[in-house]
Structure formats: structure tokens, C-alpha cells
Amino acid sequence: MLRGDAAGSYSDPELDALLDLTLPNFALSKSISISISQEANMRAATENGTDPLTDKIQVSIYLQHYRRQEKVEAPFFSVHLTRGKASGSKITLGGYDMSKAVGPLTWVSVISKSYWTVHFDGAVVEGKYVSGDVDAVIDTGSSFIYVSQALANSIYANILGAGPAANYSSGFFSFPCDSNPTISFSLGGHDFGLSIQDFKLGQDGYGSTNCIGGIIGLDDAFMEGIVIIGNAFMKSWYSVFDYSHGARVGFAPSINNAQ
């Protein structure tokens, strides 16, 4: 996927030459749309047998490469993730496809250009505020939402009947399957809801009346000062990663929420 999408830039003539040989030669366009599976193939083609590229090829590099060739116009890329479908997820380089959204974009400033990092103010769980005050990496390479164990404890403490999962490792929590807790995150002063369809991952074992939650607690020292917001959030929010305006991320309600 798009793990570790840096908000910085690169300048490497040898890398550009290699990308010319390995990436699809798209025609001049305002934007380029590729499927998630196609992006994986592009990554494989550029990484094969080229040690300097290992772990470096990212969608941000694709975008900058195509902009150098003047094949796309705008300095941003966007991501649509499907829900419950094997195909249909899409990356758009140099634009965004608002047919995948059902509302306007809300922009959140990036606070670190090492990754697409915004400020995580806190969460509202069943109407109760849980303070965060940490950095949040918006990461399409993560399936779930990862927070410190302490923050996970505070979040699940506000969900009736929630507790450590019986059949999963430490850090996983479960809650009654017949409940639909409301959860939202405050990012850079804006509130974004988490869909119960993405938060409720499935039963905590065969025949269990409890379901696993999509917010996972990891070691406090490892997660100190940071949370990782992955696909369990992004399936609800069409996401635009913009290099201009000092770098920012835009979120619009996904069409998934209307289906």
C-alpha cells in the first residue's frame, strides 16, 4: 500500500531515469488514476533488483515524477478505499475524484513533513472526551488504528461492556456486538467520525457475543507521542494529500457512507 508516504520531496536524476523505464507512460492529463493493485505492481517493478530504491518508492515520488514530466498539474494525490470489496480502491495523482465523496473537504495542516502527520487533539467516545494531544500519522499502509495502551484503555473505558479481548493478544479490545458505540477523532481542531462498520471487526472467537474493536493498543513507550490512523478510519473519509499550503491533508465524507 502507501506506507510511509513522505510529505517531503526528492531530487535524483538516476531515480527519474529508472522511473521512466519502469512506471506506466501515462498521457498528458490533469490527473492520473491508478488502482491500489496497480500501484503495488508499480512498486514491485521499480524495486526489483534495485537496492537503492528498497523501501523508498512511494506515491509521493510517483506524483513528483509525473509532475516533472508535466503529465499532471496539481501538487497533491488522493485516496479512495472501498469497504467490503476486493477491488475499486483508487489513488489519483495530481487531482481528486469528488465522485468518491458525499461532502466537502475539510483541510487539516500537516505538522511534520517526515510523514503525513497531523495533530490528534483527542477522541469523543459515547459523548465523553478523551484527551490525546499527540501526533497522528495518516497511514494507508495500516489496516487499523494504533494508539498507546494507555490511550486505548481510556477510549474503551467509555464503551459499555468493553474490555480486553478474550481470544486475541494484548492490546486488542472487545465490546458487545449488539452495541454501536459512537466514536470521533479531533484532528487539528476538526471532528471526524469513525464508522461502526469499520470499527467493529468481527466476533471475538466463534460464538462470542463480543466483537473486536478497530482501535488497537500498543506498548506505551513504542507509541509515545504518536497514533497511527489507518484504513479503519480512511474507509469513511476520502483523503487528499496536498504538498502546497505548507502541506495539508483534506478529508471528505466517503461515498462508502452513502451505500
Coordinates of all heavy atoms in Angstrom, one line a residue, residues 62-103:
Y62 N 6.0 9.0 -7.1 CA 5.3 8.9 -8.4 C 4.8 10.2 -8.8 O 4.9 10.6 -9.9 CB 4.2 7.9 -8.3 CG 4.5 6.5 -7.8 CD1 3.5 5.7 -7.2 CD2 5.8 5.9 -7.9 CE1 3.8 4.4 -6.7 CE2 6.1 4.7 -7.5 CZ 5.1 3.9 -6.9 OH 5.4 2.7 -6.4
L63 N 4.1 10.9 -7.9 CA 3.5 12.2 -8.2 C 4.5 13.2 -8.6 O 4.3 13.8 -9.7 CB 2.7 12.7 -6.9 CG 2.2 14.1 -7.1 CD1 1.1 14.2 -8.2 CD2 1.6 14.6 -5.7
Q64 N 5.6 13.3 -7.9 CA 6.6 14.3 -8.3 C 7.2 13.9 -9.6 O 7.6 14.8 -10.4 CB 7.7 14.4 -7.2 CG 7.1 15.0 -5.9 CD 8.1 14.9 -4.7 OE1 9.2 15.5 -4.8 NE2 7.8 14.1 -3.7
H65 N 7.4 12.7 -9.9 CA 8.0 12.2 -11.2 C 7.1 12.7 -12.3 O 7.5 13.2 -13.3 CB 8.2 10.7 -11.2 CG 8.7 10.2 -12.5 ND1 10.0 10.4 -12.9 CD2 8.0 9.4 -13.4 CE1 10.1 9.8 -14.1 NE2 9.0 9.2 -14.4
Y66 N 5.8 12.4 -12.2 CA 4.9 12.7 -13.3 C 4.7 14.3 -13.4 O 4.4 14.8 -14.5 CB 3.5 12.1 -13.1 CG 3.5 10.6 -13.3 CD1 3.1 9.7 -12.4 CD2 4.0 10.1 -14.6 CE1 3.1 8.3 -12.7 CE2 4.0 8.7 -14.8 CZ 3.6 7.8 -13.9 OH 3.6 6.5 -14.2
R67 N 4.9 15.0 -12.3 CA 4.8 16.4 -12.4 C 6.0 17.0 -13.1 O 5.9 17.9 -13.9 CB 4.7 17.1 -11.0 CG 3.4 16.8 -10.3 CD 3.1 17.8 -9.2 NE 2.8 19.1 -9.8 CZ 3.2 20.3 -9.2 NH1 3.9 20.3 -8.1 NH2 2.8 21.4 -9.8
R68 N 7.2 16.4 -12.9 CA 8.4 16.8 -13.7 C 8.2 16.6 -15.2 O 8.6 17.4 -16.0 CB 9.6 16.0 -13.2 CG 10.1 16.3 -11.8 CD 11.5 15.6 -11.6 NE 11.7 15.2 -10.3 CZ 12.0 16.0 -9.3 NH1 12.2 17.3 -9.5 NH2 12.2 15.6 -8.1
Q69 N 7.4 15.6 -15.5 CA 7.1 15.3 -16.9 C 5.9 16.1 -17.4 O 5.6 16.0 -18.6 CB 6.8 13.8 -17.1 CG 8.0 12.9 -16.8 CD 7.6 11.4 -17.0 OE1 6.5 11.0 -16.8 NE2 8.6 10.6 -17.5
E70 N 5.4 16.9 -16.5 CA 4.2 17.8 -16.8 C 3.0 16.9 -17.3 O 2.3 17.3 -18.2 CB 4.6 18.8 -17.9 CG 5.7 19.8 -17.4 CD 6.0 20.9 -18.4 OE1 5.5 20.8 -19.5 OE2 6.7 21.8 -18.0
K71 N 2.9 15.7 -16.7 CA 1.8 14.9 -17.0 C 0.6 15.0 -16.1 O -0.5 14.5 -16.3 CB 2.2 13.4 -17.1 CG 3.1 13.2 -18.3 CD 3.4 11.7 -18.5 CE 4.2 11.5 -19.8 NZ 4.5 10.1 -20.0
V72 N 0.8 15.7 -14.9 CA -0.2 16.0 -14.0 C 0.0 17.5 -13.6 O 1.1 18.0 -13.7 CB -0.3 15.1 -12.8 CG1 -0.6 13.7 -13.2 CG2 1.0 15.2 -12.0
E73 N -1.1 18.1 -13.2 CA -1.0 19.6 -12.9 C -0.8 19.9 -11.4 O 0.1 20.6 -11.0 CB -2.3 20.3 -13.4 CG -2.4 20.3 -14.9 CD -3.6 21.1 -15.4 OE1 -4.4 21.5 -14.5 OE2 -3.7 21.3 -16.6
A74 N -1.7 19.3 -10.5 CA -1.7 19.8 -9.2 C -0.8 19.0 -8.2 O -0.5 17.8 -8.5 CB -3.2 19.6 -8.6
P75 N -0.3 19.7 -7.2 CA 0.7 19.0 -6.3 C 0.1 18.2 -5.2 O 0.4 18.4 -4.0 CB 1.5 20.3 -5.8 CG 0.4 21.3 -5.7 CD -0.5 21.1 -6.9
F76 N -0.9 17.4 -5.5 CA -1.5 16.5 -4.5 C -1.9 15.2 -5.1 O -2.0 15.0 -6.3 CB -2.6 17.2 -3.8 CG -3.7 17.9 -4.6 CD1 -4.6 17.1 -5.3 CD2 -3.7 19.3 -4.8 CE1 -5.6 17.7 -6.1 CE2 -4.6 19.9 -5.6 CZ -5.6 19.1 -6.3
F77 N -2.1 14.2 -4.2 CA -2.7 12.9 -4.6 C -3.8 12.6 -3.6 O -3.9 13.1 -2.5 CB -1.7 11.8 -4.7 CG -1.0 11.4 -3.4 CD1 -1.6 10.4 -2.6 CD2 0.1 12.0 -2.9 CE1 -1.0 10.0 -1.4 CE2 0.7 11.7 -1.7 CZ 0.2 10.7 -1.0
S78 N -4.7 11.8 -4.0 CA -5.9 11.4 -3.2 C -6.1 9.9 -3.2 O -5.7 9.2 -4.1 CB -7.1 12.2 -3.7 OG -7.3 11.9 -5.0
V79 N -6.8 9.5 -2.2 CA -7.0 8.0 -1.9 C -8.5 7.7 -1.6 O -9.0 8.4 -0.7 CB -6.1 7.5 -0.8 CG1 -6.3 6.0 -0.6 CG2 -4.6 7.8 -1.1
H80 N -9.0 6.8 -2.4 CA -10.3 6.2 -2.1 C -10.2 4.8 -1.7 O -9.6 4.0 -2.5 CB -11.3 6.4 -3.2 CG -12.6 5.6 -3.1 ND1 -13.5 5.9 -2.2 CD2 -13.0 4.5 -3.8 CE1 -14.5 5.0 -2.3 NE2 -14.2 4.2 -3.2
L81 N -10.6 4.4 -0.5 CA -10.6 3.0 -0.1 C -12.0 2.4 -0.1 O -12.9 3.1 0.5 CB -9.9 2.8 1.3 CG -8.5 3.3 1.4 CD1 -8.0 3.1 2.8 CD2 -7.6 2.5 0.4
T82 N -12.2 1.3 -0.7 CA -13.6 0.7 -0.7 C -13.8 0.0 0.6 O -12.9 -0.3 1.4 CB -13.7 -0.3 -1.8 OG1 -12.7 -1.3 -1.7 CG2 -13.6 0.4 -3.2
R83 N -15.1 -0.3 0.9 CA -15.4 -1.0 2.1 C -16.1 -2.4 1.7 O -17.1 -2.3 0.9 CB -16.4 -0.2 2.9 CG -16.9 -0.9 4.2 CD -17.9 -0.1 4.9 NE -17.3 1.1 5.5 CZ -17.9 2.3 5.6 NH1 -19.1 2.5 5.0 NH2 -17.3 3.3 6.2
G84 N -15.6 -3.5 2.1 CA -16.2 -4.8 1.9 C -16.1 -5.2 0.4 O -16.9 -6.1 0.0
K85 N -15.2 -4.7 -0.3 CA -15.0 -5.1 -1.7 C -13.5 -5.4 -2.0 O -12.6 -4.8 -1.4 CB -15.4 -3.9 -2.7 CG -16.9 -3.6 -2.6 CD -17.2 -2.4 -3.5 CE -18.7 -2.0 -3.4 NZ -19.0 -0.9 -4.3
A86 N -13.3 -6.4 -2.9 CA -12.0 -6.8 -3.2 C -11.3 -5.9 -4.2 O -10.1 -5.9 -4.3 CB -12.0 -8.2 -3.8
S87 N -12.0 -5.0 -4.9 CA -11.4 -4.1 -5.8 C -12.2 -2.8 -5.8 O -13.2 -2.7 -5.1 CB -11.5 -4.7 -7.3 OG -12.9 -4.9 -7.6
G88 N -11.6 -1.8 -6.5 CA -12.3 -0.5 -6.5 C -11.6 0.6 -5.8 O -11.8 1.8 -6.0
S89 N -10.6 0.3 -4.9 CA -9.8 1.3 -4.2 C -8.9 2.0 -5.3 O -8.5 1.4 -6.2 CB -9.0 0.7 -3.1 OG -9.8 0.2 -2.1
K90 N -8.7 3.3 -5.1 CA -8.1 4.1 -6.2 C -7.2 5.2 -5.6 O -7.6 5.8 -4.6 CB -9.1 4.7 -7.1 CG -8.6 5.4 -8.3 CD -9.7 5.8 -9.2 CE -10.5 7.0 -8.7 NZ -11.4 7.6 -9.7
I91 N -6.1 5.4 -6.3 CA -5.2 6.6 -6.0 C -5.3 7.5 -7.2 O -5.2 7.0 -8.3 CB -3.8 6.1 -5.8 CG1 -3.6 5.0 -4.8 CG2 -2.9 7.3 -5.4 CD1 -2.3 4.2 -4.9
T92 N -5.5 8.8 -6.9 CA -5.5 9.8 -8.0 C -4.3 10.7 -7.8 O -4.1 11.3 -6.8 CB -6.8 10.6 -8.0 OG1 -7.9 9.7 -8.2 CG2 -6.8 11.6 -9.2
L93 N -3.4 10.7 -8.8 CA -2.2 11.6 -8.8 C -2.5 12.9 -9.5 O -3.0 12.9 -10.6 CB -1.0 10.9 -9.5 CG -0.6 9.5 -9.0 CD1 0.5 8.9 -9.9 CD2 -0.2 9.5 -7.5
G94 N -2.3 14.0 -8.8 CA -2.4 15.3 -9.4 C -3.9 15.8 -9.4 O -4.2 16.6 -10.1
G95 N -4.7 15.2 -8.5 CA -6.1 15.6 -8.5 C -6.9 14.8 -7.5 O -6.4 14.0 -6.7
Y96 N -8.2 15.1 -7.5 CA -9.1 14.3 -6.6 C -10.4 14.1 -7.3 O -10.9 14.8 -8.1 CB -9.3 14.9 -5.2 CG -9.7 16.3 -5.2 CD1 -11.0 16.7 -5.3 CD2 -8.7 17.3 -4.9 CE1 -11.3 18.1 -5.2 CE2 -9.0 18.6 -4.8 CZ -10.3 19.0 -5.0 OH -10.6 20.3 -4.9
D97 N -11.0 12.9 -7.0 CA -12.2 12.5 -7.7 C -13.4 12.7 -6.7 O -13.7 11.8 -5.8 CB -12.1 11.0 -8.1 CG -13.3 10.5 -8.8 OD1 -14.3 11.2 -8.9 OD2 -13.3 9.3 -9.2
M98 N -14.1 13.8 -6.8 CA -15.1 14.0 -5.8 C -16.4 13.2 -6.0 O -17.4 13.3 -5.2 CB -15.5 15.5 -5.8 CG -14.3 16.4 -5.2 SD -13.6 15.8 -3.7 CE -15.0 16.2 -2.5
S99 N -16.4 12.4 -7.0 CA -17.5 11.4 -7.2 C -17.4 10.3 -6.1 O -18.3 9.6 -5.8 CB -17.5 10.7 -8.6 OG -16.4 9.8 -8.7
K100 N -16.2 10.3 -5.4 CA -16.0 9.3 -4.4 C -16.3 9.9 -3.0 O -16.1 9.3 -2.0 CB -14.5 8.8 -4.4 CG -14.1 8.2 -5.7 CD -15.0 7.0 -6.0 CE -14.5 6.3 -7.3 NZ -15.3 5.2 -7.7
A101 N -16.8 11.1 -3.0 CA -17.2 11.8 -1.7 C -18.6 12.3 -1.8 O -19.2 12.5 -2.8 CB -16.2 13.0 -1.5
V102 N -19.2 12.5 -0.6 CA -20.5 13.0 -0.5 C -20.6 14.3 0.4 O -21.6 14.6 0.9 CB -21.5 11.9 0.2 CG1 -21.6 10.7 -0.8 CG2 -20.9 11.4 1.5
G103 N -19.5 15.0 0.4 CA -19.5 16.3 1.1 C -18.2 17.0 0.8 O -17.3 16.5 0.1

